[in-house]
Amino acid sequence: MIRGFIVDNLEQLTIFGNELNVDKTIKKVRHFFEVDYPVAKRRAHRDVTGLSSPVISGMPKGTPIGNATEERLINRAYCRQVVAATPKTIDECSKWSRKLLKWLYLNGEDDTYCINNIPYSERWYYKQLKPTAFIEFAEIYPVEELLVFEKVQ
């Protein structure tokens, strides 16, 4: 379990009988930044000029369930929404969370760069600043729910 002043306080966050699971939330946000966001950036700019009108022929054929073209367009629109919302969400975070998230996920820097550019220790970075940045991002992000809650027993 991650420990720190802010993170310890967040562990007590309970909404409508559901308690925030800090570790699972941090894991979900890390996955978002390391997997989902890069994929969304690639797919948001994908060319859809390859879409074509259906060809009508006299031969019968099976029709697929759903509309593949429509699904591709919806997926592309969703990816564009993710790409647009992510930097805006980062801008709404607190000073250090904003700096860390920009350095790591918008500028492509690594943890070493962040540690060398903050007035805090490496331990404080890993135990406090980075987890807090992930939690703040999850609280603000508007496109999908990144906070993980569990039912209080």
Side-chain angles (χ1 to χ4, degrees):
M1 181 70 69
I2 294 172
R3 296 284 174 229
F5 176 72
I6 294 173
V7 176
D8 281 342
N9 289 339
L10 286 172
E11 287 176 4
Q12 303 305 316
L13 181 62
T14 303
I15 299 175
F16 302 117
N18 295 313
E19 189 172 288
L20 177 67
N21 184 315
V22 172
D23 291 331
K24 286 183 180 177
T25 297
I26 290 170
K27 184 177 179 181
K28 190 171 183 179
V29 173
R30 182 175 285 119
H31 182 271
F32 170 82
F33 277 120
E34 293 174 359
V35 178
D36 299 340
Y37 183 59
V39 169
K41 285 195 310 188
R42 287 191 302 272
R43 297 189 89 179
H45 302 295
R46 219 167 120 195
D47 186 18
V48 291
T49 57
L51 299 177
S52 61
S53 299
V55 177
I56 308 295
S57 73
M59 297 300 295
K61 64 178 182 177
T63 57
I65 297 175
N67 184 336
T69 302
E70 180 181 3
E71 288 179 22
R72 280 188 286 178
L73 290 172
I74 290 170
N75 184 274
R76 183 167 181 233
Y78 178 78
C79 289
R80 283 184 169 180
Q81 185 179 17
V82 167
V83 170
T86 300
K88 290 178 184 176
T89 303
I90 290 172
D91 284 338
E92 293 179 33
C93 292
S94 67
K95 176 185 172 182
W96 287 110
S97 293
R98 181 174 56 250
K99 283 185 179 218
L100 295 179
L101 294 173
K102 278 185 177 183
W103 287 337
L104 291 168
Y105 302 110
L106 299 183
N107 300 346
E109 303 296 347
D110 60 8
D111 287 322
T112 304
Y113 177 88
C114 295
I115 292 164
N116 291 332
N117 287 284
I118 60 172
Y120 302 103
S121 70
E122 181 177 346
R123 184 175 189 278
W124 188 255
Y125 171 78
Y126 284 111
K127 296 292 183 185
Q128 183 63 40
L129 293 177
K130 194 171 180 182
T132 299
F134 285 158
I135 296 295
E136 284 183 21
F137 183 86
E139 288 178 325
I140 302 168
Y141 188 65
V143 178
E144 66 181 276
E145 183 62 71
L146 294 176
L147 293 171
V148 178
F149 288 95
E150 294 179 344
K151 201 74 165 156
V152 176
Q153 301 298 338

